[in-house]
Amino acid sequence: MNIALENRTERQEIGTLTKPALAVAYGDGIGPEIMSATLRILKEAGASLDITAIDIGEKVYKQGFTSGIRPEAWEAIRESGVLLKGPITTPQGGGYKSLNVTIRKSLGLYANLRPCVAYAPFVRTRHPGMDVVIVRENEEDLYAGIEHRQTGEVYQCLKLITRPGCEKIVRFAFEYARANGRKKVTCFTKDNIMKLTDGLFHRVFDEIGSEYGELEKDHMIIDIGVARLADTPEDFDLIVTPNLYGDIVSDVAAQIAGSVGLAGSANIGESCAMFEAIHGSAPQIAGKNQANPSGLLQAANQMLVHLGQPEVATRIQKAWLRTLEDGVHTFDISTQEHTRRLVGTDEFADAVVERLGSAPKQLTVRDLKSENSSVAKPKIQRTTLDLKALRKETMGVDVFLHHTDLDPERLGLGLTEASTEQLKIKMITNRGQKVWPNPLPETFCTDHWRCRFVHPEGSAVNHAHILQLLTRLSERGYDFIKTENLCSFAGERGYSLGQGE
Ligand code: NAD
């Protein structure tokens, strides 16, 4: 492996069988403590791993790498294909990028899998029976990170949803549900408002869901869905949802399970995977031997299943549950009622190691052996759309203007005069609300106008027509800041209508 020696802080081997390669990043804050504790438990449980430690995070950011990762570390991760990652401290300000988002997107880790389980009565929760898996799309949506300030008053963030992206995550969710004995898959979107983007996600969910006849399927609008999840999580089994909703839903779910500090997550791609606790680097308690290593241990267990060592994961899971039952707790989960021994990070790991080989008396052990690690990498078939043959017609253009005269009547008149033979002004909206023709004086307007131009007879137009229109607008002093072509694909409208259209 070609990584510079100074960047390799440690290399060790665990176990004696064939050893899958694993990149390990200890991370920042409490990261090194919980990672050492976790690796010790893995070793004692008989995990077979060939570990390369890499440096990422705060130290690397401060060396001037704004992504928080050096090229050699990328190489090590890509070579092993699997990363177990401690939490990272992202320095404030200074243009530092989120390392998590960079790792997910660069390595194509499209699925974020977060099981949210209650461990009542040993860990306090209002929902003792909760056992829900959140499958979050991990690569697209508003996380494309394409943002612009367009006018003095208006800022924009692009929400990109793709058909292959929806197909991959939805297929993953159904395959995971099938292989793990989950009975019901629920999809959360907001397609009553975002009919094209979230509408696509919902449509793909219905299309792919029809192939899984044995599973119950349901779709909910995200707002009522999250409200119900927070109230009666026992009604849910597995939830699949786009990126931003998934980010929020998975934190809500982990929190109400009562176990934010106990949850791990898996980020799965077609050739790589990354496993981590869901919490951050907790700088306040770093170096004090206080942190709970359980979140990272849960992530490591997901990783062992992924690497085809479910029996080791089950052994660890049993010992860990027994530790919770025996009342050996770190401070964050300790209660007067159930804690018999308050311990630090190292002692907690010792307690789990001591219990390897024993099983819980009350808490349920998930049958990890039945998990098929190939589920983590389902064969994703991209729907065969003949992209080149797809008939596309341009039916008009939305021209966005930065225009500080806030009278829509005057703008409508000016754009009527600026219209060309092929492209005539049809309507103007401000923040999506129609303001011309027939504006209402009550409607609040900003300096950002969407002006829709279409052919007067509804015919298709071409680039030359659009360029001619833009030239006329420019000559008349209109500041166009962006255009969106109004296209139909195989005769199907590919843009939202304004009111009254
Ligand atoms: P945090 O998760 O680090 O801490 C939130 C609270 O939970 C704190 O009170 C902390 O002491 C406690 N806590 C967290 N993990 C614990 C554990 N294992 N045992 C016991 N208590 C624990 O969140 P934060 O304070 O918002 O963020 C701190 C830093 O972590 C920031 O720099 C942030 O950017 C980073 N962060 C990283 C990741 C990641 O790498 N995946 C995720 C979230 C936050």
Side-chain angles (χ1 to χ4, degrees):
M1 189 175 297
N2 180 23
I3 54 172
L5 217 55
E6 66 270 22
N7 299 327
R8 187 190 297 181
T9 54
E10 189 180 340
R11 186 178 172 92
Q12 54 179 291
E13 289 192 347
I14 284 180
T16 50
L17 303 170
T18 45
K19 294 176 171 59
L22 170 67
V24 165
Y26 280 73
D28 303 317
I30 58 172
E33 299 157 67
I34 59 174
M35 185 61 81
S36 295
T38 297
L39 291 180
R40 185 148 60 84
I41 296 169
L42 261 57
K43 180 177 182 180
E44 295 297 334
S48 176
L49 301 165
D50 178 6
I51 293 178
T52 299
I54 57 166
D55 264 343
I56 58 175
E58 201 172 18
K59 204 162 69 185
V60 182
Y61 279 120
K62 288 187 172 158
Q63 285 167 352
F65 294 86
T66 53
S67 59
I69 183 165
R70 273 192 292 250
E72 313 86 83
W74 275 127
E75 204 180 311
I77 297 170
R78 290 182 60 230
E79 207 169 301
S80 62
V82 182
L83 170 66
L84 181 64
K85 181 180 137 321
I88 299 297
T89 301
T90 311
Q92 299 291 309
Y96 298 110
K97 292 192 202 118
S98 160
L99 184 53
N100 271 339
V101 176
T102 306
I103 290 178
R104 286 171 191 158
K105 292 214 276 194
S106 308
L107 298 179
L109 309 181
Y110 64 90
N112 188 322
L113 184 67
R114 189 182 288 185
C116 297
V117 182
Y119 303 101
F122 306 99
V123 178
R124 196 179 310 165
T125 172
R126 289 196 196 95
H127 305 286
M130 182 168 176
D131 181 358
V132 181
V133 175
I134 311 293
V135 176
R136 162 190 171 191
E137 198 289 319
N138 223 11
E139 290 181 293
E140 42 191 55
D141 193 356
L142 287 151
Y143 287 69
I146 306 175
E147 293 190 287
H148 297 96
R149 180 176 180 176
Q150 294 186 305
T151 69
E153 294 183 316
V154 175
Y155 299 71
Q156 166 189 276
C157 176
L158 282 188
K159 173 170 167 122
L160 296 178
I161 301 278
T162 70
R163 179 167 264 278
C166 294
E167 288 175 0
K168 284 199 295 185
I169 193 67
V170 168
R171 172 78 62 196
F172 178 92
F174 279 107
E175 285 292 319
Y176 181 90
R178 178 178 270 174
N180 290 278
R182 299 275 166 180
K183 304 277 180 279
K184 179 175 167 185
V185 179
T186 305
C187 175
F188 283 175
T189 71
K190 186 82 182 170
D191 66 340
N192 55 330
I193 302 296
M194 284 159 277
K195 295 182 191 336
L196 290 184
T197 47
D198 282 22
L200 174 65
F201 196 96
H202 186 174
R203 206 161 65 231
V204 169
F205 175 78
D206 289 343
E207 282 169 19
I208 291 181
S210 67
E211 296 172 31
Y212 297 80
E214 79 281 17
L215 295 174
E216 197 184 328
K217 288 155 287 265
D218 194 11
H219 171 269
M220 285 186 186
I221 299 297
I222 179 81
D223 35 1
I224 189 62
V226 181
R228 295 235 175 101
L229 174 70
D231 186 52
T232 46
E234 53 279 11
D235 292 346
F236 294 86
D237 199 359
L238 184 149
I239 294 168
V240 61
T241 188
N243 203 343
L244 179 62
Y245 308 142
D247 192 359
I248 299 164
V249 169
S250 55
D251 269 22
V252 170
Q255 179 72 28
I256 64 171
S259 59
V260 173
L262 306 186
S265 78
N267 294 267
I268 308 286
E270 282 173 44
S271 53
C272 294
M274 189 251 286
F275 300 84
E276 63 179 343
I278 70 168
H279 59 72
S281 56
Q284 315 86 334
I285 56 167
K288 296 183 177 166
N289 187 37
Q290 288 180 357
N292 188 345
S294 297
L296 188 59
L297 186 63
Q298 292 305 303
N301 264 359
Q302 287 180 277
M303 178 193 79
L304 288 172
V305 175
H306 179 82
L307 290 174
Q309 300 179 35
E311 63 295 337
V312 185
T314 304
R315 196 167 140 76
I316 293 173
Q317 190 67 5
K318 285 180 176 170
W320 178 73
L321 291 171
R322 182 61 182 266
T323 307
L324 293 184
E325 283 186 353
D326 287 348
V328 183
H329 294 164
T330 44
F331 78 97
D332 54 311
I333 54 167
S334 74
T335 54
Q336 253 186 346
E337 203 183 348
H338 292 291
T339 304
R340 294 211 202 111
R341 194 152 65 90
L342 181 63
V343 293
T345 314
D346 286 343
E347 297 72 31
F348 185 84
D350 291 341
V352 176
V353 169
E354 278 161 25
R355 286 163 181 76
L356 287 168
S358 52
K361 293 177 182 154
Q362 209 175 316
L363 292 170
T364 311
V365 182
R366 189 180 299 284
D367 183 10
L368 295 175
K369 280 196 178 118
S370 74
E371 288 194 19
N372 173 358
S373 70
S374 70
V375 169
K377 314 166 209 162
K379 285 198 174 57
I380 304 298
Q381 273 184 347
R382 200 172 171 144
T383 300
T384 36
L385 246 185
D386 188 348
L387 296 176
K388 286 197 182 122
L390 186 63
R391 186 166 54 82
K392 182 174 108 165
E393 286 181 299
T394 305
M395 309 311 296
V397 62
D398 277 347
V399 180
F400 291 76
L401 297 183
H402 179 187
H403 189 70
T404 50
D405 173 358
L406 301 186
D407 179 354
E409 280 291 17
R410 237 188 333 263
L411 181 59
L413 195 64
L415 295 182
T416 305
E417 284 166 10
S419 292
T420 64
E421 212 174 296
Q422 285 82 16
L423 282 166
K424 302 233 175 285
I425 182 73
K426 184 172 187 200
M427 66 151 187
I428 303 172
T429 67
N430 198 295
R431 296 187 302 168
Q433 177 61 35
K434 193 180 83 163
V435 292
W436 187 90
N438 308 320
L440 292 179
E442 292 83 2
T443 309
F444 184 83
C445 288
T446 68
D447 60 354
H448 181 273
W449 309 81
R450 188 264 303 254
C451 310
R452 176 158 292 182
F453 292 85
V454 294
H455 192 282
E457 266 100 52
S459 310
V461 294
N462 59 35
H463 286 169
H465 299 143
I466 295 172
L467 289 173
Q468 189 193 10
L469 172 68
L470 293 180
T471 304
R472 279 174 69 102
L473 291 174
S474 177
E475 282 166 2
R476 282 168 170 71
Y478 291 106
D479 178 10
F480 56 84
I481 42 163
K482 114 172 179 157
T483 61
E484 288 283 357
N485 292 356
L486 306 176
C487 298
S488 70
F489 296 85
E492 194 183 323
R493 178 171 48 79
Y495 49 94
S496 55
L497 292 178
Q499 295 122 315
E501 274 196 280

